Amino acid sequence: MAAHPPERPHPLARTPLIDKACAALEKAWSKGIPPPLIDPDDLWRRAAKGTNIAAEHGGRSQEDIIDFRERLHALCDAVLTEARLNALGKTMAHGQIMRVIKQRLGLGQLWSDKPDLLDTQLAPPIIVVGQMRSGTTRIHRLLAADPAHSATRFCDSWYPVPRKIDMRPLWGGMMLAMARKLDPWIDALHPMGSQRAEEELGWLASALGHSTYDTQWHVPNFTRFCEERDARPLYREFTRILKTDAAHHGNAGRPRVLKVPQFAEELSALLAQFPDARLVVANRHDDDVLHSSMSVVANQMTIQSNNVDLDWVESEWRRKLKLRQAHVQSTLADFSGAVAHVHFDELGADWESEIERIYNELDLELTPRARAEMAKEMASSEGGAHRTHAAQLQGFRSDAAA
């Protein structure tokens, strides 16, 4: 793969491979091969083949089981009635939801067999909170570079069930290779590697948190359904997965650096699990966050739908950004723990000074080794594909204004 992807001529541009895949799927369906069903009962039945259906109860309360089932029904209904997916999108939606159900059963079986995993004692985490595209990834990866901390690998986020022979790095690599085939601009938006430190978005997706789904599909009813319900079951599952991952890797004694933009919407539920957490709150100018977020969402949606409405994307993300701001402000007003604020521009201008300030405000020790590892992280990102996003974003803004 080239270091720099081709410049995207339009925010909704996509590769010919997507159109070819859609045509091939539609042709197969016209010849009698049934298209994938997005039906919760059918998906559950297919995903559960060869497994112990009672495994779902492992480590989970009845309340948490009901929460997942209700989310599943709401998501499937929204995909069917709102998402306007093309043939590739329908196939991908079916595969994603199937994988989530299989992982849920796999985790439940693991916790039934090894309940002591859920007794794992975790060091207080460091939680990066902020809007999507506000600099949270840079902060997260700098803090994760410190050997005194731990972080979640991309492959473990999206494949959370540990194995004796760990094939997850390979699976994560294959997942990214396919994603890059479909979307050659993906690393310009968010550089990733199978074993690289990554946000725990996959863990929230496995509990059917909404942010994985409403950034790739038009599912506003599912989004509202999730926003209006209690998020505590979501973060109880998140905590169970974190304990399992920490026990598997033997790093429970080191603070985990956690980051998912969805945290901003549900920070109080997350802090109910980790009341002794340290927080780093990222900030960026609202217009920059909005347009960068729109660029990412449009890029993801256009792969799976031929009917992406940019006006709707802008309206929805204006609403979502205000919602997240309000939730963070409300939660921080009642939080008595350590908090450090950092601005996107200041971090970009002098990351070393900002990191030193963050460590001081969180009462953390910034060692020479940590500084050296952070410098390596920054050097590795220089000239990376994500640098081209500024030019792409300017084009997006021009198109949006027009």
Side-chain angles (χ1 to χ4, degrees):
M1 186 182 67
H4 296 281
E7 183 176 350
R8 186 170 37 158
H10 187 275
L12 301 184
R14 63 189 191 189
T15 64
L17 177 62
I18 295 170
D19 294 323
K20 289 180 180 178
C22 287
L25 289 166
E26 289 168 355
K27 184 177 180 180
W29 298 345
S30 70
K31 291 186 175 182
I33 297 175
L37 286 176
I38 310 297
D39 174 81
D41 296 328
D42 182 74
L43 285 162
W44 193 274
R45 184 168 55 252
R46 290 174 181 272
K49 282 183 179 179
T51 67
N52 177 7
I53 196 67
E56 184 187 12
H57 292 261
R60 300 184 178 107
S61 68
Q62 188 64 22
E63 180 186 358
D64 292 357
I65 290 170
I66 291 172
D67 179 77
F68 181 85
R69 296 302 182 97
E70 291 180 348
R71 287 174 183 269
L72 177 63
H73 279 261
L75 176 60
C76 289
D77 182 69
V79 169
L80 285 172
T81 62
E82 299 180 310
R84 299 171 294 186
L85 299 180
N86 57 32
L88 179 61
K90 292 175 183 176
T91 303
M92 292 176 68
H94 182 271
Q96 287 185 59
I97 300 172
M98 281 273 287
R99 187 184 74 230
V100 162
I101 297 172
K102 288 181 178 179
Q103 288 175 349
R104 184 169 184 82
L105 292 170
L107 286 166
Q109 186 63 61
L110 177 65
W111 296 331
S112 292
D113 295 340
K114 299 181 179 179
D116 57 303
L117 287 172
L118 303 183
D119 296 328
T120 302
Q121 297 299 306
L122 298 170
I126 301 168
I127 301 175
V128 181
V129 181
Q131 305 276 8
M132 186 167 75
R133 318 305 296 171
S134 65
T136 55
T137 296
R138 177 176 291 187
I139 297 167
H140 174 251
R141 288 182 175 164
L142 284 170
L143 295 175
D146 186 339
H149 303 154
S150 66
T152 306
R153 302 184 302 179
F154 173 92
C155 60
D156 296 341
S157 176
W158 291 101
Y159 298 95
V161 186
R163 311 283 182 178
K164 288 183 179 178
I165 300 177
D166 197 353
M167 299 295 290
R168 292 180 295 172
L170 176 61
W171 298 340
M174 293 171 63
M175 181 181 182
L176 287 173
M178 179 58 70
R180 288 166 179 145
K181 283 286 187 182
L182 294 173
D183 184 359
W185 304 285
I186 192 169
D187 285 300
L189 299 170
H190 184 80
M192 291 175 284
S194 183
Q195 298 190 68
R196 190 173 186 180
E198 188 54 68
E199 62 186 46
E200 292 77 17
L201 182 60
W203 294 356
L204 292 180
S206 72
L208 295 182
H210 63 84
S211 61
T212 297
Y213 307 105
D214 62 15
T215 53
Q216 59 176 319
W217 305 327
H218 177 269
V219 286
N221 281 338
F222 177 68
T223 300
R224 303 301 189 278
F225 173 85
C226 293
E227 289 174 352
E228 292 170 2
R229 72 189 289 107
D230 186 355
R232 286 178 295 180
L234 194 68
Y235 288 96
R236 286 195 289 266
E237 182 79 356
F238 182 95
T239 304
R240 287 188 286 266
I241 298 174
L242 174 55
K243 289 182 175 183
T244 302
D245 186 83
H248 178 75
H249 289 291
N251 57 24
R254 286 187 282 144
R256 180 70 61 103
V257 186
L258 303 172
K259 189 274 284 193
V260 184
Q262 186 177 330
F263 290 167
E265 290 182 44
E266 299 153 342
L267 186 57
S268 59
L270 177 60
L271 290 177
Q273 294 296 313
F274 305 107
D276 51 359
R278 295 178 171 93
L279 304 183
V280 181
V281 180
N283 297 284
R284 189 181 185 187
H285 298 299
D286 287 351
D287 284 347
D288 292 333
V289 170
L290 174 64
H291 288 99
S292 191
S293 298
M294 290 170 61
S295 177
V296 173
V297 173
N299 173 265
Q300 294 299 300
M301 285 188 169
T302 195
I303 294 172
Q304 300 181 62
S305 175
N306 302 332
N307 300 283
V308 180
D309 183 343
L310 289 178
D311 289 336
W312 178 85
V313 172
E314 178 172 5
S315 175
E316 173 66 2
W317 280 88
R318 283 190 187 278
R319 183 195 70 82
K320 190 175 286 288
L321 296 181
K322 290 180 181 178
L323 176 72
R324 290 179 173 181
Q325 286 175 343
H327 275 285
V328 170
Q329 291 172 2
S330 174
T331 303
L332 290 182
D334 296 326
F335 182 66
S336 59
V339 182
H341 292 264
V342 60
H343 195 278
F344 183 93
D345 294 341
E346 294 169 358
L347 185 68
D350 187 351
W351 69 266
E352 291 180 278
S353 294
E354 284 301 288
I355 285 293
E356 185 171 351
R357 182 181 60 78
I358 290 170
Y359 269 64
N360 286 336
E361 293 181 5
L362 298 186
D363 194 25
L364 296 170
E365 181 185 4
L366 182 58
T367 65
R369 186 182 175 194
R371 290 177 184 271
E373 293 300 323
M374 290 179 189
K376 289 180 184 178
E377 170 63 31
M378 289 298 296
S380 70
S381 69
E382 290 298 322
H386 67 287
R387 296 287 180 178
T388 65
H389 185 227
Q392 294 172 0
L393 181 57
Q394 185 58 46
F396 177 85
R397 280 176 155 169
S398 299
D399 284 334

